[in-house]
Amino acid sequence: MVADIITITPTTELAQMPAARGLMRLLSWVSPAFPTGSYAYSHGIEWAVEAGDIRDIETLCLWLAALIDHGTVGNDLVIIGAAWDSYQDMTTLRSIAEFACACASSRERFEETVYQGEAFLKAARVWDIVPPVYEMECVRWPLPVAQGMVFHWGGITRAQAVLSGGYASLAALVSAAVRLVPLGQTDGLRALVRLEPMLEAAVLAASFRTLEDIGGMCFRSDIASMHHETQTTRLFRT
């Protein structure tokens, strides 16, 4: 008996293609393999480990939770959303980029965000969705600004863009801590699981915030990034 052949009508297949293509792009853009050099940055965690502030999964989660609720990770969620909203307005995007650069609390924080952001834009040009180079000149492009505009150009929804950018940041920081503390890979995953509800709440809160709400109270994290500049033994750039 000949088996029935299951077919997908062209209409159904075409209807699913835009969402599938957007998801594939998003998976590439938040992949650790995407060439932004994120593996080289610890966001000051390297000094925090040396100082004894981060020494296990508990202290790592406390450190990262503070960054989500009161520091750079939470701020970046708002910036991603603002860049997503203004993705076609280069004048506004330039203003957002300059503002995001001004929010960097140290030289290393500035270098971390602009080097990754500009690497992100360069790699994303493969998809032919980034504006011409001449339109991007004379401004440094921080990572959350680059993510917000590229995600929108690539067909990613606002909520997905903000959540994905935040998760990529946390995953990179957990990866750094796994190597520095060191933690086992399983403890790294446990940390991500614990942080999921906090990130979800922060993404929801960010949807009601604007750039005027940007601020921070993670002084120890800022100090860590400053101390890292003169740290004797360093594996990471920040």
Side-chain angles (χ1 to χ4, degrees), residues 54-165:
I54 299 176
R55 53 192 178 275
D56 52 29
I57 186 174
E58 300 295 337
T59 49
L60 172 63
C61 286
L62 286 172
W63 187 276
L64 296 182
L67 290 179
I68 295 172
D69 290 338
H70 308 292
T72 50
V73 175
N75 286 339
D76 283 355
L77 300 179
V78 178
I79 294 171
I80 291 170
W84 191 95
D85 292 338
S86 304
Y87 78 112
Q88 288 184 317
D89 185 344
M90 288 304 301
T91 300
T92 301
L93 284 173
R94 286 169 174 268
S95 177
I96 295 171
E98 291 172 351
F99 173 81
C101 286
C103 289
S105 56
S106 69
R107 177 182 61 82
E108 286 196 353
R109 287 278 171 86
F110 172 80
E111 292 177 352
E112 179 177 334
T113 190
V114 297
Y115 289 167
Q116 289 189 83
E118 290 165 2
F120 186 92
L121 286 173
K122 182 178 180 180
R125 290 190 182 282
V126 172
W127 281 268
D128 294 325
I129 57 175
V130 180
V133 174
Y134 70 86
E135 291 190 18
M136 313 291 290
E137 292 177 340
C138 303
V139 174
R140 304 306 300 268
W141 294 96
L143 180 60
V145 181
Q147 289 174 324
M149 55 181 167
V150 168
F151 287 161
H152 199 149
W153 288 327
I156 308 303
T157 68
R158 192 183 198 278
Q160 288 174 334
V162 176
L163 178 62
S164 299

Side-chain angles (χ1 to χ4, degrees), residues 2 6 20 39 45 55 113 118 141 160 199-200 205:
V2 179
I6 300 176
Y39 59 85
I45 284 179
R55 53 192 178 275
T113 190
E118 290 165 2
W141 294 96
Q160 288 174 334
L199 181 59
E200 289 175 1

Side-chain angles (χ1 to χ4, degrees), residues 1 10 12-13 37 46 58 87 104 108 110 125 134 139 147 154 158 165-166 172 175-176 190-192 219 222 228 237:
M1 182 176 180
T12 302
E13 188 174 6
E46 184 164 22
E58 300 295 337
Y87 78 112
E108 286 196 353
F110 172 80
R125 290 190 182 282
Y134 70 86
V139 174
Q147 289 174 324
R158 192 183 198 278
S175 177
R190 289 192 179 104
L192 286 174
F219 305 121
D222 295 338
H228 188 270
R237 297 186 63 175

Side-chain angles (χ1 to χ4, degrees), residues 4 13 21 24 49 54 129 153 170 189 195 215 219 234:
D4 293 334
E13 188 174 6
R21 186 172 295 118
M24 286 190 293
V49 170
I54 299 176
I129 57 175
W153 288 327
L170 285 181
L189 295 175
L195 294 167
F219 305 121
R234 301 193 304 177

